[in-house]
Amino acid sequence: MKVDAKKYHKKYTKINTKAYYKKRVLKRKHVRAYRRTSRDVGASFHTVTPYYVEASGRCSCSLHGDYREHKSRFRNYCPFCGSHGTLRYEEGSTCPEGMWFCSRCDADFCLVHGKSHTSRARYLLR
Protein backbone atom coordinates (compact mmCIF):
# COMPACT_ATOMS: atom_id res chain seq x y z
CA MET A 1 0.00 0.00 0.00
CA LYS A 2 1.48 3.26 -1.12
CA VAL A 3 0.88 6.40 0.98
CA ASP A 4 0.92 9.84 -0.55
CA ALA A 5 3.64 11.85 1.24
CA LYS A 6 1.79 15.18 1.04
CA LYS A 7 -1.38 13.81 2.67
CA TYR A 8 0.67 12.01 5.30
CA HIS A 9 2.58 15.12 6.40
CA LYS A 10 -0.56 17.24 6.58
CA LYS A 11 -2.32 14.94 9.05
CA TYR A 12 0.47 13.52 11.15
CA THR A 13 3.78 14.66 12.61
CA LYS A 14 6.44 12.60 14.32
CA ILE A 15 6.86 13.55 17.97
CA ASN A 16 9.15 12.01 20.55
CA THR A 17 7.19 11.07 23.64
CA LYS A 18 8.44 10.88 27.20
CA ALA A 19 7.44 7.25 27.45
CA TYR A 20 9.59 4.69 29.22
CA TYR A 21 10.74 3.00 26.01
CA LYS A 22 11.13 6.30 24.11
CA LYS A 23 9.37 5.06 21.01
CA ARG A 24 8.62 7.40 18.18
CA VAL A 25 4.85 7.73 18.08
CA LEU A 26 2.62 9.28 15.47
CA LYS A 27 0.25 11.87 16.94
CA ARG A 28 -2.48 13.91 15.31
CA LYS A 29 -1.76 17.58 14.64
CA HIS A 30 -5.30 18.73 15.34
CA VAL A 31 -7.23 17.64 18.37
CA ARG A 32 -10.95 17.31 18.00
CA ALA A 33 -13.02 19.54 20.22
CA TYR A 34 -15.18 17.41 22.48
CA ARG A 35 -18.59 18.73 23.19
CA ARG A 36 -19.80 18.89 26.74
CA THR A 37 -22.02 15.93 27.56
CA SER A 38 -22.86 16.76 31.18
CA ARG A 39 -26.40 17.89 31.75
CA ASP A 40 -27.64 20.60 34.03
CA VAL A 41 -27.88 19.10 37.53
CA GLY A 42 -29.03 22.18 39.45
CA ALA A 43 -32.33 22.56 41.28
CA SER A 44 -35.43 22.42 39.11
CA PHE A 45 -37.09 25.03 41.35
CA HIS A 46 -36.34 26.84 44.59
CA THR A 47 -38.29 29.26 46.78
CA VAL A 48 -36.89 31.58 49.44
CA THR A 49 -39.18 33.41 51.89
CA PRO A 50 -38.38 35.08 55.24
CA TYR A 51 -39.84 32.03 57.03
CA TYR A 52 -38.82 28.98 54.98
CA VAL A 53 -36.72 27.77 52.02
CA GLU A 54 -37.97 25.08 49.66
CA ALA A 55 -36.36 23.33 46.70
CA SER A 56 -36.49 20.31 44.45
CA GLY A 57 -33.02 19.12 43.53
CA ARG A 58 -30.23 16.57 43.93
CA CYS A 59 -28.26 15.77 47.07
CA SER A 60 -24.82 17.39 47.36
CA CYS A 61 -23.72 15.75 50.65
CA SER A 62 -24.01 12.14 49.34
CA LEU A 63 -26.33 10.87 52.08
CA HIS A 64 -28.72 9.60 49.38
CA GLY A 65 -27.58 6.58 47.41
CA ASP A 66 -29.41 7.68 44.29
CA TYR A 67 -28.91 10.82 42.25
CA ARG A 68 -32.57 11.60 41.65
CA GLU A 69 -34.40 14.81 42.51
CA HIS A 70 -35.93 15.12 45.98
CA LYS A 71 -38.14 17.83 47.41
CA SER A 72 -37.25 19.47 50.73
CA ARG A 73 -38.41 22.35 52.91
CA PHE A 74 -36.55 23.96 55.83
CA ARG A 75 -36.94 26.92 58.18
CA ASN A 76 -34.99 29.97 57.05
CA TYR A 77 -32.66 29.81 60.07
CA CYS A 78 -28.89 29.32 60.21
CA PRO A 79 -27.78 27.00 63.06
CA PHE A 80 -24.21 28.38 63.03
CA CYS A 81 -24.83 32.10 63.58
CA GLY A 82 -28.42 31.83 64.88
CA SER A 83 -29.89 34.37 62.44
CA HIS A 84 -33.33 34.17 60.84
CA GLY A 85 -34.08 34.91 57.18
CA THR A 86 -30.49 34.80 55.89
CA LEU A 87 -30.48 31.59 53.81
CA ARG A 88 -30.05 32.02 50.05
CA TYR A 89 -29.76 29.65 47.07
CA GLU A 90 -26.44 29.30 45.24
CA GLU A 91 -25.32 27.20 42.28
CA GLY A 92 -21.81 27.29 40.90
CA SER A 93 -18.77 25.34 39.82
CA THR A 94 -17.98 24.18 43.37
CA CYS A 95 -21.46 22.71 43.86
CA PRO A 96 -23.34 22.15 40.56
CA GLU A 97 -26.30 20.54 42.38
CA GLY A 98 -27.04 23.79 44.21
CA MET A 99 -26.93 24.54 47.94
CA TRP A 100 -28.29 26.80 50.63
CA PHE A 101 -25.83 29.31 52.10
CA CYS A 102 -26.08 31.82 54.92
CA SER A 103 -25.55 35.40 53.73
CA ARG A 104 -24.26 36.40 57.18
CA CYS A 105 -21.71 33.68 58.14
CA ASP A 106 -21.27 31.99 54.69
CA ALA A 107 -22.15 28.48 55.93
CA ASP A 108 -23.10 26.00 53.15
CA PHE A 109 -25.87 23.38 53.43
CA CYS A 110 -27.10 20.49 51.28
CA LEU A 111 -30.19 21.28 49.23
CA VAL A 112 -31.99 18.05 50.14
CA HIS A 113 -30.88 17.11 53.67
CA GLY A 114 -29.86 20.49 55.07
CA LYS A 115 -26.52 19.05 56.22
CA SER A 116 -23.66 21.54 56.44
CA HIS A 117 -20.63 21.11 54.18
CA THR A 118 -18.16 21.17 57.09
CA SER A 119 -16.49 18.57 59.28
CA ARG A 120 -18.69 19.50 62.25
CA ALA A 121 -22.00 18.79 60.58
CA ARG A 122 -25.10 20.69 61.65
CA TYR A 123 -28.50 20.43 60.05
CA LEU A 124 -31.14 22.93 59.02
CA LEU A 125 -34.43 22.68 60.92
CA ARG A 126 -37.49 21.31 59.16
Side-chain angles (χ1 to χ4, degrees), residues 22-38:
K22 294 186 180 178
K23 292 181 182 177
R24 294 182 70 87
V25 179
L26 295 176
K27 291 193 175 184
R28 301 230 4 138
K29 273 186 178 178
H30 304 289
V31 178
R32 291 182 187 173
Y34 293 99
R35 65 180 169 195
R36 192 172 175 181
T37 57
S38 65

Side-chain angles (χ1 to χ4, degrees), residues 46-66:
H46 62 278
T47 306
V48 178
T49 67
Y51 305 107
Y52 68 91
V53 291
E54 183 177 15
S56 177
R58 292 173 173 83
C59 177
S60 63
C61 66
S62 68
L63 285 179
H64 266 302
D66 58 354

Side-chain angles (χ1 to χ4, degrees), residues 99-126:
M99 63 182 168
W100 300 117
F101 78 99
C102 178
S103 60
R104 178 179 270 179
C105 68
D106 199 34
D108 301 327
F109 300 95
C110 175
L111 197 67
V112 176
H113 292 105
K115 180 184 173 193
S116 66
H117 292 171
T118 59
S119 59
R120 52 180 197 147
R122 291 189 186 177
Y123 289 85
L124 295 175
L125 301 174
R126 293 210 179 252

Side-chain angles (χ1 to χ4, degrees), residues 1-52:
M1 186 169 133
K2 191 173 183 181
V3 178
D4 188 17
K6 289 182 182 178
K7 286 184 181 178
Y8 178 78
H9 287 293
K10 283 184 182 178
K11 285 188 178 179
Y12 297 99
T13 57
K14 292 184 179 183
I15 299 173
N16 284 331
T17 62
K18 295 180 181 178
Y20 180 73
Y21 296 106
K22 294 186 180 178
K23 292 181 182 177
R24 294 182 70 87
V25 179
L26 295 176
K27 291 193 175 184
R28 301 230 4 138
K29 273 186 178 178
H30 304 289
V31 178
R32 291 182 187 173
Y34 293 99
R35 65 180 169 195
R36 192 172 175 181
T37 57
S38 65
R39 59 180 182 218
D40 186 26
V41 294
S44 58
F45 88 93
H46 62 278
T47 306
V48 178
T49 67
Y51 305 107
Y52 68 91

